[in-house]
């Protein structure tokens, strides 16, 4: 399944040409923006504002900030479940150019939170490493030279030169442990649909009926989960298998969990229509005609006339 980032800030979190190195921690403050307890390179950065609904104010003095490696400062500890390496988090975040102290972009400006999966290989290593251990309610300040985050070219889209220090202020709203597989009440599917056999750790076996494929999207629950309902714009984690109706050929699968935005055009329309509103823990059998898939142009081995069939486990949503 193809995936596109759905917001300007989310685009700032895609992996650069060079992965971050180092895993420093410059200490923490008392949560008020004071840096008196800090002795690391982020000690001269003041982060003010205690209302999580309002964008924090970041002051860098003196300027420019000097950073030679990745570093972190814990401003507010938070409480509750600490994020593990395979968890999902809902965050608010802000990007600041440490050379001049100017805000580059933020989720507060976009009026949204951002869901991230700490196993997502497309996510900046700065986030997937440094957010492990973060608790709901935490505020973190992350920093590194831009060239270490995005590569020697810097990030021209955000106006960041390779030598510019880049800062991320991150508020953790929630931490969610995704399921390993669908959990809930089994649902008997309607007759005439493809049948599904789940193979632990592998692609599911989908057997097609010897009938003409339906022309409209079919969303058949096989398991009804008991978790919260998926909302438009969230990041979800799913295990899935996709096969073609005409010959049963499996064209794509992910048995361990695939993160994607949902309801915002990051995946095929059939997924957006079917998955939004479903409870986490559900297993869905989706029959996706071309109009709700890749259209008349098709994609790869998928012809413009092909109907796709998916079995999808909704493992988590943030």
């Amino acid at each position: 399944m193809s995936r596109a980032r759905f917001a300007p800030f989310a685009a700032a979190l895609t992996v650069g040409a060079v992965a971050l190195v180092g895993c420093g921690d410059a200490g923490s403050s008392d949560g008020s923006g004071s840096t008196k307890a800090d002795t690391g390179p982020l000690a001269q950065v003041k982060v003010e504002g205690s209302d999580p609904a309002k964008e924090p104010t970041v002051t860098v003095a003196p300027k420019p900030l000097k950073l030679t490696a990745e570093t972190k400062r814990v401003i507010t500890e938070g409480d509750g479940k600490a994020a593990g390496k395979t968890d999902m988090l809902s965050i608010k975040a802000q990007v600041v150019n440490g050379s001049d102290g100017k805000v580059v972009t933020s989720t507060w400006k976009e009026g949204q939170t951002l869901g991230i999966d700490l196993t997502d290989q497309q996510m900046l290593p700065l986030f997937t490493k440094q957010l492990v251990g973060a608790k709901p309610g935490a505020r973190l300040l992350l920093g590194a030279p831009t060239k270490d985050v995005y590569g020697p070219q810097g990030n021209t889209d955000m106006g960041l030169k390779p030598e510019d220090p880049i800062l991320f202020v991150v508020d953790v709203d929630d931490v969610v442990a995704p399921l390993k597989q669908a959990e809930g009440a089994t649902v008997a599917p309607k007759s005439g649909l493809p049948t599904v056999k789940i193979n632990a750790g592998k692609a599911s076996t989908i057997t097609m009926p010897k009938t003409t494929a339906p022309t409209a999207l079919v969303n058949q629950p096989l398991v009804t989960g008991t978790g919260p309902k998926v909302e438009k714009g969230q990041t979800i984690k799913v295990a899935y298998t996709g096969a073609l109706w005409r010959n049963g050929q499996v064209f794509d699968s992910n048995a361990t969990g695939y993160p994607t935005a949902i309801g915002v055009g990051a995946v095929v329309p059939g997924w957006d229509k079917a998955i939004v509103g479903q409870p986490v823990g559900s297993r869905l059998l989706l029959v996706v005609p071309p109009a709700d898939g890749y259209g008349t142009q098709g994609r790869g081995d998928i012809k413009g006339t092909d109907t796709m069939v998916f079995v999808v486990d909704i493992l988590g949503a943030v």
Side-chain angles (χ1 to χ4, degrees):
M1 299 294 295
S2 64
R3 181 176 66 177
R5 293 291 183 183
F6 63 97
F9 187 88
L13 299 188
T14 38
V15 173
V18 177
L20 285 166
V21 295
C23 192
D25 191 328
S28 62
S29 78
D30 59 7
S32 64
S34 169
T35 59
K36 61 184 179 181
D38 299 307
T39 57
L42 298 181
Q44 69 188 70
V45 180
K46 189 174 184 179
V47 181
E48 297 178 289
S50 58
D51 185 349
K54 296 182 179 179
E55 185 169 12
T57 300
V58 176
T59 305
V60 178
K63 293 179 283 193
L65 177 66
K66 301 293 185 182
L67 293 179
T68 59
E70 175 182 333
T71 187
K72 174 175 72 174
R73 186 178 119 210
V74 179
I75 297 173
T76 305
E77 290 283 353
D79 53 47
K81 179 187 182 297
K85 293 181 179 180
T86 60
D87 284 345
M88 305 176 73
L89 294 86
S90 175
I91 66 170
K92 298 185 183 76
Q94 177 191 62
V95 182
V96 176
N97 188 331
S99 293
D100 55 20
K102 293 182 179 179
V103 175
V104 176
T105 186
S106 82
T107 60
W108 280 278
K109 285 184 171 59
E110 296 174 19
Q112 65 180 31
T113 57
L114 180 67
I116 63 173
D117 182 338
L118 295 182
T119 67
D120 187 355
Q121 295 183 355
Q122 293 191 35
M123 188 67 58
L124 291 179
L126 175 67
F127 273 63
T128 56
K129 288 193 301 181
Q130 298 288 14
L131 293 184
V132 172
K135 300 177 181 179
R139 171 168 287 178
L140 309 176
L141 179 63
L142 311 178
T146 292
K147 61 183 175 61
D148 286 357
V149 180
Y150 296 108
Q153 75 285 347
N155 190 312
T156 55
D157 290 341
M158 293 196 293
L160 292 166
K161 300 175 183 177
E163 65 274 13
D164 284 336
I166 186 172
L167 298 171
F168 296 88
V169 181
V170 180
D171 280 9
V172 179
D173 281 1
D174 197 12
V175 175
V176 172
L179 302 172
K180 300 296 184 183
Q181 61 181 10
E183 294 181 4
T186 301
V187 179
K190 295 179 181 179
S191 61
L193 293 176
T195 59
V196 175
K197 178 186 175 185
I198 303 299
N199 304 311
K202 300 178 182 179
S204 299
T205 301
I206 305 175
T207 303
M208 307 301 171
K210 297 184 183 301
T211 56
T212 303
T215 57
L217 176 69
V218 175
N219 182 6
Q220 171 64 62
L222 301 178
V223 175
T224 300
T226 58
K229 291 184 177 181
V230 174
E231 299 178 10
K232 180 181 178 180
Q234 284 190 307
T235 293
I236 61 170
K237 190 168 191 173
V238 293
Y240 70 92
T241 299
L244 300 177
W245 183 288
R246 63 179 161 89
N247 59 9
Q249 176 188 338
V250 172
F251 60 84
D252 195 9
S253 69
N254 189 315
T256 58
Y258 168 80
T260 183
I262 196 69
V264 290
V267 290
V268 294
W271 275 38
D272 279 344
K273 293 176 181 179
I275 294 175
V276 172
Q278 298 294 327
V280 172
S282 296
R283 174 173 294 148
L284 307 176
L285 174 64
L286 307 181
V287 180
V288 181
D292 286 312
Y294 293 112
T296 56
Q297 74 277 8
R299 181 178 178 180
D301 292 336
I302 304 168
K303 299 178 180 179
T305 55
D306 272 332
T307 293
M308 300 181 291
V309 179
F310 294 94
V311 57
V312 181
D313 283 12
I314 306 174
L315 306 177
V318 288

